[in-house]
Every structure is written in C-alpha cells, then in structure tokens.
C-alpha cells in the first residue's frame, strides 16, 4: 500500500528558465549517513514523494527539484539531493545558483556584502557558491565546481539514422557526452527541439550500452547523465549555444551548469581555453551562463580543472501540495 502523503510545501524558482522546486516541508526525517547514502535511501524509500512533486498534475515532464538534507561535510552550510523525471542526479548547476540565492534570502547563511559564500554539499562533493549581495538583497550567483575532467576525446559512435558521429566524454559533477549538433543535420533556431531530443537520446542510449565509465571517488558517480549538443563554437567572441538532454530525455531550458563545467573541462583538455578566460554559453531559450577555468587540479589519474559558472535565479511562486486518498492519478503520471 502506498504511504499516505503529508502536506508538502515548496518554493519554486527558475534559473535561466529551468525550474527548481525547493522542498521546504513535509518530507520525513532522512537517516544520517554520507550524502550518497542519503541519496540511495531517499531513492529506495521516498520515491513516491519525488513522483508527487515532479510528475503531473503538480509538475511536468521537465520539472526539476531540490531536497535539502542535513550536511555531513565539514564546512557545508547546507546539503541537497537533486531530483527529476528519472530519479536523483549527482550535480545540478542551475539548482546550485538558485540555492545560493535562496540560502542568503532565507538566512541560512548570513548576508555579507558585496559577496556571500555558501558552501553546498552535493552528491558529487562540495560546491562553493558566491552570491552577490547589495543593500541586503541577493543577486547573481556563481559557483566553483568539483574537479571536472575530459574523460575521453575524439570518439565515434555509429547511430542508426544518423551515421557515424564524433563526441567527447567529460565530467562536470556528472558525465556528459558532448557532440556538435551539425553532425546530426541540426541547426539551432531552425530545427525543432524534438529533433535535438531525438538525436541526443540516440547518442545517450548508445553510449550507456557500449561506453563504460569510471570515477576515482565513487562508483555511484560513474553513469552517463545525458548528452549535450552544441553549435560547435567555444564561447569566445560570441556565445556558444547548447542544449542538454538528460535523465529520461528531459530538456534543460538553461545552459546547464554542470554541463558548462563539463564543456570547460573538455575545452581545457583540448587546449581550447586557458586559466582565467571567460566564455559565454547560451541555452535554447536564450538564457546565458558565464564560465571560466579557475585552476587546474587532479581527479585520480585525470588531469582536471575547477570551473566557475555564473547566472541568475528568480522566484516564481510558493505552493502547498496535498493528496486525497482516492486520487490515483494524483500520485503522479507523465505523458511522454
């Protein structure tokens, strides 16, 4: 029998058009443990609440959420589990940008002008957000990523209907395949979003089946989160456009914070960007993130970088959700 649902309260925000539904009440206590252990426990025991918040009729196919949990890392101001239509991701840059502003506005971290630091524990590790504060109000947010690296470069895959396509594989808190959309006969502003989704999904599914991944920190981080299709640019001179299709063919409206991190890691690994250079990344709805390589580091055997990614988040509403006992559809459904 499905457990009865408590009243769930949320604050809704968006970063570059991509939703962030922050849970503010109604979840039961999460047992202590590492952040990855909490992620596994929530997935195994409370997934019905993810469905209620992310799926219709309260959410939609491309809804995204953030559940705050007790931090365990030394120095962390808050910890978060990210959720979406498929399950629970390990990193989400657009949500980190929103949570940075939220933490200052809610007094989780005292506001300090002109810049307030918010240390956010994510499943991939500690992410350091910097929140611009003026007259007590939080504004733009940037964050320093966990170590990001180019995992594999100049690989190819044979895709039915598309032929042979080239891709890089990079990690920016989650693993992404990176590919030029022109290989699929696509062009931003001309072709349908659906066409980009189909192409990206085809590559993701192919690589999930045939391209093994590994991460030096934990096996739970070694999975392909999605594919990012780019316009082939590098963000210098003019913005480079990309679309991230992740989880169960979910489309990111923002430029994708962890995706921008992965792109920067790939660009640095290919010698296309130096330390301190800033590039601009644009989403399918025209929103923009800035991205720069802050410094180099190491992630196991991989030469890695720490990236800084910046953007703006805005509030869009608050809600209290309930469920009547005999409302089966209210427990969550998706139309694909």
């Amino acid at each position: 029998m499905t457990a009865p649902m408590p009243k769930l309260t949320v604050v809704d925000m968006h970063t570059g058009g991509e939703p962030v539904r922050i849970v503010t009440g109604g979840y039961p206590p999460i047992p202590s443990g590492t952040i990855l252990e909490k992620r596994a426990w929530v997935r195994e025991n409370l997934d019905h609440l993810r469905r209620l918040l992310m799926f219709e009729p309260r959410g939609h196919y491309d809804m995204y959420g953030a559940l705050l949990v007790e931090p365990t890392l030394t120095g962390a101001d808050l910890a978060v589990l990210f959720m979406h239509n498929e399950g629970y991701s390990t990193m989400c840059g657009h949500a980190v940008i929103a949570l940075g502003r939220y933490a200052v506005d809610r007094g989780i971290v005292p506001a300090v002008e002109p810049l307030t630091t918010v240390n956010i524990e994510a499943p991939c590790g500690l992410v350091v957000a910097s929140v611009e504060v003026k007259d007590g109000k939080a504004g733009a947010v940037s964050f320093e990523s966990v170590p990001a690296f180019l995992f594999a470069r100049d690989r190819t895959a044979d895709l039915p209907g598309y032929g042979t396509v080239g891709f890089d594989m990079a990690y920016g808190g989650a693993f992404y395949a990176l590919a030029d959309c022109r290989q699929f006969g696509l062009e931003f502003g001309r072709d349908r979003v659906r066409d980009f989704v189909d192409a990206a999904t085809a590559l993701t599914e192919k690589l999930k089946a045939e391209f093994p991944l590994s991460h030096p920190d934990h096996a739970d981080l070694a999975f392909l989160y999605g594919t990012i299709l780019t316009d082939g640019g590098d963000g210098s001179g003019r913005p480079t456009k990309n679309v991230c299709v992740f989880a169960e063919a979910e489309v990111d409206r923002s430029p994708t914070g962890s995706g921008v991190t992965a792109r920067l890691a790939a660009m640095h690994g290919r010698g296309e960007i130096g330390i301190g250079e800033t590039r601009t990344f644009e989403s399918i709805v025209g929103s923009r993130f800035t991205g720069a390589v802050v410094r180099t580091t190491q992630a196991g055997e991989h030469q890695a970088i720490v990236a800084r990614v910046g953007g703006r988040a805005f509030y869009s509403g608050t809600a209290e959700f309930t469920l009547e006992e005999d409302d089966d559809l209210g427990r969550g459904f998706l139309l694909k």
Side-chain angles (χ1 to χ4, degrees):
M1 179 180 294
T2 303
M5 183 187 117
K7 290 182 179 179
L8 294 170
T9 57
V10 302
V11 169
D12 279 356
M13 301 181 72
H14 79 88
T15 307
E18 178 71 359
V20 187
R21 176 160 286 171
I22 303 170
V23 180
T24 56
Y27 260 69
I30 311 300
S32 60
T34 68
I35 190 76
L36 288 173
E37 289 170 343
K38 290 173 183 173
R39 176 174 174 263
W41 191 90
V42 167
R43 181 176 58 218
E44 294 165 8
N45 295 277
L46 298 178
D47 203 51
H48 62 288
L49 297 182
R50 176 187 67 88
R51 294 173 58 91
L52 285 160
L53 289 173
M54 299 295 101
F55 291 8
E56 296 185 53
R58 299 169 192 83
H60 53 81
Y61 194 86
D62 296 312
M63 178 56 75
Y64 203 93
L67 172 65
L68 300 185
V69 297
E70 194 68 25
T72 56
L73 288 180
T74 301
D77 298 305
L78 57 93
V80 58
L81 300 178
F82 305 113
M83 51 189 172
H84 45 68
N85 68 9
E86 183 184 48
Y88 304 86
S89 58
T90 54
M91 174 54 187
C92 177
H94 90 272
V96 163
I97 290 170
L99 287 169
R101 182 180 177 192
Y102 176 85
V104 172
D105 289 341
R106 287 296 179 107
I108 298 173
V109 177
V112 177
E113 297 188 22
L115 211 60
T116 301
T117 298
V118 182
N119 296 315
I120 300 175
E121 182 181 358
C124 64
L126 189 67
V127 180
V128 180
S130 298
V131 184
E132 295 179 8
V133 180
K134 184 176 181 180
D135 299 327
K137 295 182 179 180
V141 180
S142 64
F143 66 86
E144 284 196 5
S145 71
V146 296
F149 52 88
L150 177 61
F151 183 82
R153 62 178 290 181
D154 296 329
R155 300 299 179 91
T156 59
D158 294 322
L159 299 181
Y162 298 105
T164 301
V165 298
F167 67 93
D168 289 341
M169 185 72 70
Y171 179 80
F175 279 100
Y176 295 98
L178 310 174
D180 189 327
C181 72
R182 294 171 295 183
Q183 299 177 98
F184 299 86
L186 297 174
E187 181 182 322
F188 286 103
R190 183 194 69 189
D191 295 298
R192 302 178 306 163
V193 172
R194 181 74 254 171
D195 298 326
F196 284 87
V197 173
D198 290 344
T201 301
L203 183 56
T204 296
E205 294 306 313
K206 177 78 169 181
L207 298 181
K208 279 184 176 180
E210 299 181 2
F211 197 92
L213 296 171
S214 63
H215 192 282
D217 291 345
H218 202 290
D220 281 358
L221 301 175
F223 65 94
L224 181 58
Y225 191 32
T227 289
I228 297 174
L229 298 181
T230 79
D231 61 2
D234 64 4
S236 61
R238 64 187 182 92
T240 173
K241 203 155 187 133
N242 64 223
V243 60
C244 176
V245 181
F246 66 97
E248 188 64 35
E250 187 163 336
V251 181
D252 197 332
R253 276 73 171 158
S254 82
T256 309
S258 57
V260 165
T261 302
R263 288 194 65 188
L264 289 167
M267 290 161 62
H268 186 266
R270 299 176 66 91
E272 297 169 354
I273 187 173
I275 294 174
E277 295 180 24
T278 299
R279 304 293 172 85
T280 304
F281 301 82
E282 186 173 278
S283 77
I284 54 169
V285 300
S287 58
R288 294 179 178 180
F289 287 171
T290 58
V293 176
V294 177
R295 59 185 177 274
T296 58
T297 185
Q298 200 74 19
E301 64 182 14
H302 303 284
Q303 293 184 349
I305 66 159
V306 171
R308 177 170 291 279
V309 179
R312 291 289 308 275
F314 299 90
Y315 293 96
S316 50
T318 61
E320 179 181 273
F321 295 119
T322 59
L323 175 69
E324 295 186 86
E325 187 175 351
D326 57 350
D327 182 9
D328 289 336
L329 283 176
R331 299 184 190 280
F333 66 92
L334 288 178
L335 294 178
K336 297 184 179 181

